Every structure is written in C-alpha cells, then in structure tokens.
C-alpha cells in the first residue's frame, strides 16, 4: 500500500514511517498540506495520515482538497486535540477514520484492518459496477449468451478506432443496432449517424443520396444538394446490405474511401469528407467475389474488421431475455396487458429455429400478444410457429402466415404504412413490395 504521513512534527513522521515500512508498505512523508498536495501530483497514494493542526493549510482543509481531487484516496485524521465536533466534521468531509494522539500500535493495526476492508469493498463495488456497465452499456441490444458477449467485447474494442467495420449476419439479427452501438461508443458519438439500406434504393438514386448533386445535373435536380457522405460531417455512415450495390458504385465508394473526397453528380469540384464507415451484409461476400459480383479491393477496404452477428438459433440462451423484453416493450406501447410467458410456451420458443431471427421473435411475441385473451402467453398462443424441420415442408403455409401477419399489423395501424413497417421491423419499401406480392388491400380480410 502507498502511504503518506502528513504532520509538521518530525518525530511523528519518523515513527509512522518506520512502523509502516516494517509492515511492508511504501511510505512517504510531508511536513505540510502544500507538500502533501505536491507529492500527490507526482504519484498516487492509497492512504494518507493527516494531522489536523499544521501551519498554513490545516488537516481538515487538506482532507477536503484531497477528497475533491483524489476521491479514491483514503484519509485518516490524527490529532492531539480531539473533539467530537472536529471528528464529526472530518467524517462528514470523507475521512476514513479519526485517531487521537497518543495512540498505540494496536490502534494503528485496527485502522489498517478497516482500511483493508474498505479497499476490498471498494474493489468489489468497482468490479460489480464494471459488470453492470458491461450488461447495460448496450441497452438496446439484448443478450447475455457467450456469443453475444463476444460481440459486445468486439464492439468495445473497435469503437475507439476509425477502422472500417463489416457486420456479417443473417437478416433480422440486429446489425443496425450493432452499428449504432459502435457509433455511440466512438469518439464520433456526438456527430451524426446515418443509415442507408442499399438494397432498398435503386442504384441511380443511391448515387445521388450518397454523393449529392449540382443543380441541373439531371432532370429534377432543381437545386444543389449535399449527399450523405458530406452530410454525415465527421460522424458514422452505415451502409446496410452493402452486397447489393452495383460494381460501379463499389468503384466510386472505393475512390472516396481512398481519397477522402467526394464529387457531387454534375460537378467537377471534389469536396473533402470525414466519416467512419460501418457496413453490413446478409450475403456471403466471398461467394459474391468468386462469382464476379463484388470487387475484391472494395471488400478488403470495407472489411478491416469483421464482426459476425450470430443468428438467434445459435444464442437460444437469450430467447427468454428477448421475449420478456419484447413483452414489456409492447405492453408499454399498447393498452394490452400481458404479464408473462408460460414455461411451456418458452420451451416452444426455445425449440423453434427462428429463420427470421430476433425480428421474427419480436413479431411472434406481438402476434401472440395481440390475439391472446389471457394475461399469460401459453403454448397455444404460438401455434402459428411451425415445429423445427416441418417448416420447409410447408412453404406455402409460411407464406400464408406472413401474409396474414402483415395484414393484421396493417389493420392494427389503420394502414399507416410507416407505423406498420416499424411494427413489422422492415422498411416502407419492403412493406410496399410485400403488399404488392400478397395483393393486400384495406378491408381485404373482410372478403376472405
């Protein structure tokens, strides 16, 4: 332990020094409060013994200064003029103990024992605090399985850097949440986070969205417009489904990543840009490269660090946690009150393979909750889930299930596309595609 004795009496400093040194501690002495503060700026100390009466800065003033600047440092007040008032005052400011001179070695031993216990409790508190922060630091991402813990650790490791990150995982695994977590933990956290789903935007529109355009660049370009590569202004740009972008766009983005400049459509003047790139894909980009659909040089540029997001079937230890989370969330968002999920229902959820991953689980909880007439979701409320291995043999039934579920949500939100898409966990473009595919119309359920 690093100990400092602060007393204007040399005999006290020397006696303390030898006693603690014999006990194996590292000891320093100071004859005044000013000298003690100076030594604290040079090295950390675990414990200070401070006399109250000293010329210049007294012990109480030194105690207050230490607690303000070094709150983790413990301070024991020593005095030859003890009083209840000064003891109470010292303890209020933060003294660990209060000793009245002269005191015996046994009293010092007791103080050191209390200090050791205090340090142990403090260490345990800091450990538990760290564990709690580790669990709650990604409060929008639910998971305690080993697979998700590894993802959380990767997020923490890559957040501080500017390296490009590729998130690889199946649809519905929460890649955008991971991207947002990386941004939130990065030095760019106070700057914009812009997410673009490359698979939902036609290539010509994506070019304008990313690069911007000059007035008159093409029909409809009635004014100058900055693209997201400029608008992001030092923040994080998240390109979801990056495997969907065309080879030409890959070349254009590769040039931006290498030059850190962007040229708006219709302009010849490059503009400097600053952003951190996070991309995501549900495709096998290695296979895409082999097939000639994805540029290898662009792949290596965006894949400096890859984080693999596990599908839900590989993190079933998280299913109960996720299901409870969605249940509480949906109860908060609606007037429906469902308190819990029965053990049999939970067993069914854990047995299911979840090809749609976390998004499918959320939709399943919502569907069961909407249709349930009980305050507890039971096995029967999830009858629409096909047992493992049976789903593939009943493809049309799955399509019917999706169709009816989408219709349920659309009806529930009065055919408000934005709200329905949000509830389904998909974007508006995808929802419009599904409406066209299933030929859904308002009131169509009445005709079925």
């Amino acid at each position: 332990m690093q100990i400092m004795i602060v007393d204007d009496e040399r005999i006290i400093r020397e006696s303390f020094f030898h006693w603690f040194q014999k006990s194996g501690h590292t000891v320093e002495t100071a004859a005044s409060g000013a000298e003690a503060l100076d030594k604290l700026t040079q090295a950390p100390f675990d414990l200070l013994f401070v006399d109250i009466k000293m010329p210049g800065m007294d012990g109480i003033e030194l105690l207050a200064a230490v607690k303000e600047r070094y709150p983790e440092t413990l301070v024991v007040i020593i005095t030859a003029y003890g009083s209840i008032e000064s003891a109470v005052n010292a303890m209020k400011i933060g003294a660990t103990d209060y000793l009245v001179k002269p005191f015996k070695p046994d009293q010092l031993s007791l103080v050191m024992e209390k200090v050791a216990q205090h340090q142990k409790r403090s260490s345990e508190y800091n450990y538990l605090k760290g564990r709690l922060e580790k669990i709650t630091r990604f409060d929008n991402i639910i998971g305690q399985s080993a697979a998700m813990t590894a993802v959380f650790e990767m997020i923490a490791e890559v957040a501080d850097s500017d390296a490009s990150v590729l998130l690889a995982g199946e649809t519905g695994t929460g890649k955008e949440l991971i991207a947002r977590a990386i941004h939130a933990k990065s030095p760019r956290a106070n700057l914009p986070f812009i997410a673009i789903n490359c698979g939902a935007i036609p290539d010509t529109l994506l070019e304008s969205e990313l690069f911007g355009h000059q007035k008159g660049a093409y029909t409809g370009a009635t004014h100058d417009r900055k693209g997201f590569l400029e608008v992001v202004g030092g923040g994080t740009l998240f390109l979801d489904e990056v495997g969907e972008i065309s080879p030409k766009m890959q070349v254009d983005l590769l040039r931006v990543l290498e030059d850190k400049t962007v040229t708006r459509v219709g302009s010849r003047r490059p503009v400097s840009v600053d952003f951190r790139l996070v991309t995501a894909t549900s495709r096998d980009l290695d296979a895409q490269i082999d097939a000639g659909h994805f540029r290898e040089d662009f792949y290596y540029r965006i894949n400096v660090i890859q984080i693999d997001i596990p599908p839900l079937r590989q993190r079933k230890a998280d299913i109960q946690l996720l299901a409870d989370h969605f249940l509480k969330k949906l109860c908060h968002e609606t007037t429906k009150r469902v308190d819990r999920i029965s053990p049999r229902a939970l067993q069914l959820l854990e047995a299911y393979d979840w090809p749609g991953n976390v998004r499918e689980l959320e939709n399943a909880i919502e569907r069961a909750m909407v249709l349930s007439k009980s305050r507890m979701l039971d096995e029967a409320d999830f009858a629409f889930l096909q047992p493992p291995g049976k789903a593939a043999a009943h493809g049309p039934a799955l399509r019917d299930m999706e169709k009816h579920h989408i219709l349920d949500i659309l009806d529930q939100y009065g055919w408000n596309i934005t709200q329905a898409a949000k509830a389904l966990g998909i974007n508006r473009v995808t929802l419009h595609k599904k409406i066209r595919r299933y030929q859904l119309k308002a009131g169509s359920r009445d005709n079925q």
Side-chain angles (χ1 to χ4, degrees), residues 57-86:
M57 179 185 292
D58 67 26
I60 297 298
E61 291 173 317
L62 176 59
L63 167 65
V66 170
K67 283 298 164 185
E68 181 181 351
R69 302 178 198 178
Y70 312 99
E72 298 297 320
T73 300
L74 305 180
V75 178
V76 173
I77 294 294
I78 55 176
T79 182
Y81 308 95
S83 69
I84 293 176
E85 182 183 357
S86 66

Side-chain angles (χ1 to χ4, degrees), residues 289-334:
I289 292 171
D290 292 341
H293 298 151
F294 206 80
R295 292 181 63 94
E296 193 169 11
D297 49 1
F298 182 60
Y299 173 72
Y300 287 120
R301 195 68 179 78
I302 64 173
N303 189 23
V304 176
I305 296 169
Q306 179 170 326
I307 300 178
D308 295 315
I309 316 298
L312 189 52
R313 63 182 173 279
Q314 291 178 9
R315 42 179 292 220
K316 291 194 172 181
D318 294 330
I319 285 179
Q320 181 173 4
L321 204 62
L322 285 162
D324 288 342
H325 168 74
F326 293 138
L327 197 63
K328 288 178 184 173
K329 177 185 164 193
L330 291 165
C331 282
H332 181 72
E333 293 173 352
T334 67

Side-chain angles (χ1 to χ4, degrees), residues 312 319-331 336 338 340-342 345-346 349 354 357-372 377-378 381-382 384-385 405 409 423:
L312 189 52
I319 285 179
Q320 181 173 4
L321 204 62
L322 285 162
D324 288 342
H325 168 74
F326 293 138
L327 197 63
K328 288 178 184 173
K329 177 185 164 193
L330 291 165
C331 282
K336 194 83 182 257
V338 178
R340 59 198 173 97
I341 301 171
S342 75
L346 183 63
L349 296 181
W354 300 108
N357 291 295
V358 178
R359 186 178 299 154
E360 184 185 5
L361 173 62
E362 182 173 12
N363 291 343
I365 297 293
E366 182 173 12
R367 175 175 173 149
M369 185 177 157
V370 168
L371 298 178
S372 175
L377 298 184
D378 206 350
D381 294 312
F382 295 98
F384 55 88
L385 292 177
H405 181 57
I409 298 299

Side-chain angles (χ1 to χ4, degrees), residues 139-416:
D139 53 0
N140 288 323
I141 309 172
I142 307 299
Q144 60 182 7
S145 62
M148 284 308 293
T149 299
V151 171
F152 293 154
E153 289 173 353
M154 281 293 288
I155 293 172
E157 287 176 10
V158 307
D160 284 341
S161 80
D162 265 347
S164 298
V165 177
L166 174 65
L167 306 175
E170 297 176 7
T171 300
T173 49
K175 295 188 285 295
E176 182 169 338
L177 285 178
I178 303 290
R180 288 184 182 277
I182 292 171
H183 173 71
K185 297 293 175 185
S186 78
R188 299 173 183 267
N190 293 325
L191 297 168
F193 174 91
I194 294 178
I196 300 174
N197 187 336
C198 301
I201 303 177
D203 205 48
T204 50
L205 182 58
L206 181 61
E207 182 182 32
S208 177
E209 292 289 307
L210 287 174
F211 292 86
H213 59 250
Q214 290 293 103
K215 178 180 178 182
Y218 51 81
T219 303
T222 56
H223 58 277
D224 293 350
R225 182 179 182 277
K226 289 182 179 178
F228 288 135
L229 287 163
E230 287 184 72
V231 173
V232 73
T236 301
L237 181 67
F238 173 57
L239 299 182
D240 198 5
E241 296 302 347
V242 70
E244 302 293 330
I245 65 176
S246 68
K248 177 185 179 303
M249 185 61 69
Q250 293 171 36
V251 172
D252 292 342
L253 281 172
L254 183 61
R255 189 174 299 122
V256 173
L257 291 170
E258 291 177 346
D259 298 344
K260 293 295 180 186
T261 62
V262 63
T263 304
R264 297 179 194 170
V265 177
S267 172
R268 294 182 178 177
R269 185 173 64 86
V271 178
S272 296
V273 290
D274 175 29
F275 63 93
R276 199 254 180 94
L277 182 66
V278 178
T279 56
T281 183
S282 56
R283 289 190 173 221
D284 182 347
L285 292 186
D286 288 321
Q288 291 280 89
I289 292 171
D290 292 341
H293 298 151
F294 206 80
R295 292 181 63 94
E296 193 169 11
D297 49 1
F298 182 60
Y299 173 72
Y300 287 120
R301 195 68 179 78
I302 64 173
N303 189 23
V304 176
I305 296 169
Q306 179 170 326
I307 300 178
D308 295 315
I309 316 298
L312 189 52
R313 63 182 173 279
Q314 291 178 9
R315 42 179 292 220
K316 291 194 172 181
D318 294 330
I319 285 179
Q320 181 173 4
L321 204 62
L322 285 162
D324 288 342
H325 168 74
F326 293 138
L327 197 63
K328 288 178 184 173
K329 177 185 164 193
L330 291 165
C331 282
H332 181 72
E333 293 173 352
T334 67
T335 56
K336 194 83 182 257
R337 289 293 167 263
V338 178
D339 302 322
R340 59 198 173 97
I341 301 171
S342 75
R344 286 187 307 177
L346 183 63
Q347 193 174 13
L348 185 151
L349 296 181
E350 289 175 341
Y352 187 63
D353 270 351
W354 300 108
N357 291 295
V358 178
R359 186 178 299 154
E360 184 185 5
L361 173 62
E362 182 173 12
N363 291 343
I365 297 293
E366 182 173 12
R367 175 175 173 149
M369 185 177 157
V370 168
L371 298 178
S372 175
K373 293 181 172 56
S374 166
R375 296 193 65 162
M376 180 181 74
L377 298 184
D378 206 350
E379 192 177 15
D381 294 312
F382 295 98
F384 55 88
L385 292 177
Q386 296 292 319
K390 196 176 176 181
H394 294 78
L398 281 177
R399 287 196 294 273
D400 288 344
M401 185 180 74
E402 185 183 48
K403 173 184 172 182
H404 288 297
H405 181 57
I406 291 172
L407 195 53
D408 287 340
I409 298 299
L410 285 166
D411 287 342
Q412 181 182 338
Y413 287 96
W415 279 74
N416 182 312

